[in-house]
Amino acid sequence: MRKLILFAIFSSLTMCFAYTQDTCLVDTTYFYEFIPNTLNKKVKARSFRTYNSSNDLTESIYQNWNSGTNSWENNYKTNVLYAGNNKTDEISYIWSSGSWVKNRKTRYTFDANNNRTEELRQEWNASTTSWENIEKYNYDYDANNNKTEKAYYFWDLGSWEISWKTNYSYDANNNQIEETYFELNTSTNSLEKKTKHTFLYDGNNNKEEDLKQIWDMGTSTWINDSKKNTSYDSNNNQITYVHKLWNVHSWKKNYKTISSYDAMNNRIKIVGQNWNTTTNVWEDNARNSFSYDGNNNLTENLYEQWNGSSWIKKNKFTYTYDGNDNNIEYRKQDWSSGQWINNVLEIYEYDSSGKKLAYDLYNNWNNTDQYFENHNREEYFYVCNAISGLKKKHSKINFNIYPNPTSKHIIIQSENFGAYSIYEVSGKRVKSFSINKSNQQISIEALNPGIYLLIEEASGASKKIIIR
């Protein structure tokens, strides 16, 4: 009998150390839709997930409910293979004529440092009963595991043809300082320079400038296109962001944002301004105002636009939390005719221990009858296994990480050199490395989007990382 419980999520930045406990992973999800303006729901679909002994997802199956036959019908499934902690193959199938038929496959290759070096995508040919190449991405890295090249190839008449590539270079602090994009010229069948970004950083490794240039084939030189300049306060919070455009011989101001923060470094306001080329002054355009509760959870995001004389409300996003800081409600509303009109509502249900049980999505608001016309729901069932996990341990945190959320890399500011690790919410370690300087950049591109925990192994100090 499965138990309905939440997939464990780190809800605080407490310290952790490894230990063995029951860890729970999603086993089955049911998908429902409701008859408009009623509490009557009908099942639409369900999915099953299977895991290996390391809690890696190995299979997921999606089925639709056939209300005519009152039975479940297979739709598609995905199988995943691993080598150590690295996902090596992801194979998708579709259900056809009573059996699973291969559809697509993605194969991943890694180097000795667990950096992904190739991502190969293939399609199943039922006539030849074999996998046929479609496209692939190749990656190169430097000695610090920074990605130095990403190249895209497509399969054409029995051989790989390159379509484009991007080269990256870094400074001594592993900050990316240049990004150059090349594209295939089909006439000459060679790669040609297209665009280049050059980045500058301050003493805290905050990016201060992003200069974009376009390659001029006629003069064989880089021509300025645009640039972004950013300034920071003493807490490394972004204060100003200025976007400029190149106009023949000089930079012309275009757009600017100004941010302010509270004592807890929560951003409380961001104002956007456009440059008026006639009056040569910055003019307000839009602003966001943010509110937080006593636990620094975001509770409101108010978006307004400037009409030339006053701020006009446009959208409002509100967030509600329970006593465990779990987000239990998200609501988007639009300002119309002097009142807030509902747009989207999301509800999250938790059990008494703070574990999520279900998710409800409402949209298409009927303002006349005051209800959402569309209501969909997901309910989660989980299976628990005894594996190595992470146990809370309170201790002083002596390092900072930024940017966070992030998608490509993090920079760790710390004087505590030594071993660090990144863990999934299940307690599985997915990346280990050593810090040997006070501002060190670590690539996280190989990690899937989600919530992770960065831990300093010596002290157990930890911080949450959100990867997008």
Side-chain angles (χ1 to χ4, degrees):
M1 189 87 178
R2 299 185 182 98
K3 188 178 180 181
L4 185 63
I5 56 179
L6 169 72
F7 181 77
I9 295 179
F10 297 113
S11 60
S12 63
L13 299 183
T14 55
M15 320 262 280
C16 301
F17 60 90
Y19 79 121
T20 300
Q21 68 160 20
D22 281 348
T23 297
C24 303
L25 302 169
V26 64
D27 174 62
T28 307
T29 302
Y30 280 89
F31 304 87
Y32 300 91
E33 63 181 1
F34 282 73
I35 298 173
N37 201 26
T38 74
L39 296 177
N40 299 323
K41 66 180 181 181
K42 56 182 180 179
V43 67
K44 294 193 306 179
R46 67 181 179 183
S47 65
F48 298 102
R49 296 184 181 183
T50 306
Y51 303 86
N52 61 20
S53 58
S54 299
N55 272 9
D56 297 314
L57 177 66
T58 57
E59 182 175 80
S60 61
I61 299 176
Y62 188 89
Q63 298 177 321
N64 294 320
W65 176 253
N66 187 324
S67 57
T69 62
N70 286 324
S71 62
W72 291 104
E73 296 181 347
N74 290 325
N75 188 338
Y76 61 86
K77 77 170 182 176
T78 302
N79 289 121
V80 186
L81 304 178
Y82 300 85
N85 291 327
N86 296 319
K87 178 170 65 175
T88 59
D89 293 271
E90 192 170 58
I91 307 168
S92 67
Y93 301 79
I94 56 175
W95 186 257
S96 179
S97 302
S99 63
W100 290 111
V101 178
K102 295 173 183 174
N103 182 31
R104 292 207 169 192
K105 178 170 72 171
T106 303
R107 171 159 289 178
Y108 306 97
T109 307
F110 299 83
D111 63 19
N113 293 320
N114 294 314
N115 296 308
R116 183 179 294 173
T117 57
E118 184 172 275
E119 183 176 330
L120 170 64
R121 295 175 184 172
Q122 298 175 310
E123 194 169 66
W124 182 253
N125 187 322
S127 299
T128 62
T129 63
S130 62
W131 290 107
E132 294 185 347
N133 294 325
I134 303 175
E135 60 184 4
K136 70 173 181 176
Y137 295 87
N138 284 0
Y139 308 90
D140 291 328
Y141 302 85
D142 62 20
N144 293 321
N145 296 311
N146 296 309
K147 182 173 64 180
T148 57
E149 182 172 288
K150 178 180 180 179
Y152 173 76
Y153 299 80
F154 61 94
W155 186 253
D156 184 46
L157 301 176
S159 64
W160 289 110
E161 301 290 339
I162 191 168
S163 177
W164 55 262
K165 75 171 183 176
T166 304
N167 290 131
Y168 311 88
S169 59
Y170 303 83
D171 63 18
N173 292 321
N174 293 311
N175 295 311
Q176 183 183 322
I177 57 174
E178 193 169 280
E179 179 178 314
T180 307
Y181 175 71
F182 301 79
E183 199 170 86
L184 178 67
N185 184 325
T186 54
S187 298
T188 63
N189 199 35
S190 62
L191 290 174
E192 295 179 349
K193 298 173 185 175
K194 299 296 289 185
T195 60
K196 180 172 73 169
H197 288 264
T198 305
F199 309 104
L200 299 177
Y201 299 82
D202 63 18
N204 292 323
N205 294 306
N206 296 308
K207 187 184 294 183
E208 287 188 311
E209 183 172 284
D210 175 357
L211 170 64
K212 179 183 178 182
Q213 297 176 302
I214 307 295
W215 182 252
D216 189 301
M217 293 293 294
T219 61
S220 295
T221 58
W222 290 107
I223 305 298
N224 289 332
D225 177 76
S226 62
K227 72 174 177 178
K228 306 168 187 175
N229 291 103
T230 309
S231 66
Y232 305 84
D233 63 17
S234 58
N235 293 318
N236 296 309
N237 296 311
Q238 177 183 308
I239 298 299
T240 62
Y241 164 89
V242 181
H243 182 259
K244 298 178 182 179
L245 300 173
W246 183 254
N247 184 13
V248 185
H249 299 296
S250 63
W251 290 107
K252 302 298 181 182
K253 297 169 183 170
N254 181 41
Y255 183 74
K256 178 172 74 170
T257 65
I258 305 169
S259 298
S260 55
Y261 301 81
D262 63 19
M264 301 301 295
N265 292 311
N266 296 310
R267 177 181 282 172
I268 56 176
K269 188 163 298 208
I270 179 169
V271 179
Q273 299 178 320
N274 294 322
W275 181 254
N276 188 319
T277 56
T278 302
T279 60
N280 287 327
V281 296
W282 289 107
E283 295 182 344
D284 288 334
N285 174 49
R287 73 179 180 184
N288 289 80
S289 302
F290 307 95
S291 301
Y292 302 84
D293 63 19
N295 293 326
N296 296 307
N297 296 309
L298 176 66
T299 56
E300 183 176 286
N301 175 3
L302 174 64
Y303 174 70
E304 301 169 290
Q305 290 182 341
W306 182 255
N307 70 355
S309 59
S310 61
W311 289 106
I312 305 299
K313 299 182 182 76
K314 298 298 291 185
N315 311 105
K316 181 171 68 172
F317 309 84
T318 55
Y319 308 83
T320 306
Y321 304 84
D322 63 17
N324 295 320
D325 290 331
N326 295 307
N327 180 204
I328 58 175
E329 181 178 299
Y330 159 78
R331 187 185 298 267
K332 179 188 177 185
Q333 296 174 300
D334 303 318
W335 185 256
S336 178
S337 302
Q339 63 179 333
W340 288 110
I341 305 298
N342 287 320
N343 183 307
V344 174
L345 173 65
E346 297 179 8
I347 301 291
Y348 303 87
E349 295 179 17
Y350 299 83
D351 65 14
S352 60
S353 63
K355 297 178 179 179
K356 187 167 66 175
L357 304 176
Y359 163 70
D360 288 89
L361 172 63
Y362 302 79
N363 54 31
N364 198 13
W365 177 253
N366 185 323
N367 199 48
T368 301
D369 296 322
Q370 296 287 295
Y371 74 95
F372 286 101
E373 294 181 351
N374 295 333
H375 176 193
N376 294 280
R377 179 179 173 88
E378 298 176 9
E379 295 179 356
Y380 312 107
F381 294 82
Y382 292 77
V383 60
C384 298
N385 299 308
I387 67 162
S388 295
L390 298 175
K391 186 174 181 179
K392 295 180 181 178
K393 175 185 176 183
H394 297 276
S395 181
K396 185 178 180 181
I397 299 174
N398 292 312
F399 64 88
N400 291 312
I401 52 176
Y402 67 92
N404 191 16
T406 184
S407 59
K408 294 183 177 181
H409 69 270
I410 55 172
I411 294 174
I412 302 175
Q413 292 181 316
S414 177
E415 298 302 325
N416 296 337
F417 300 159
Y420 287 72
S421 295
I422 297 177
Y423 290 83
E424 291 180 344
V425 293
S426 64
K428 176 184 175 183
R429 181 160 52 190
V430 294
K431 189 177 183 69
S432 297
F433 50 88
S434 294
I435 297 295
N436 53 27
K437 53 189 173 183
S438 57
N439 287 278
Q440 187 156 328
Q441 179 173 298
I442 302 297
S443 172
I444 47 82
E445 284 189 292
L447 302 181
N448 294 322
I451 299 174
Y452 295 80
L453 204 65
L454 173 66
I455 295 180
E456 180 194 358
E457 297 291 2
S459 67
S462 65
K463 280 199 170 185
K464 181 169 67 175
I465 305 172
I466 299 175
I467 299 179
R468 291 175 173 172

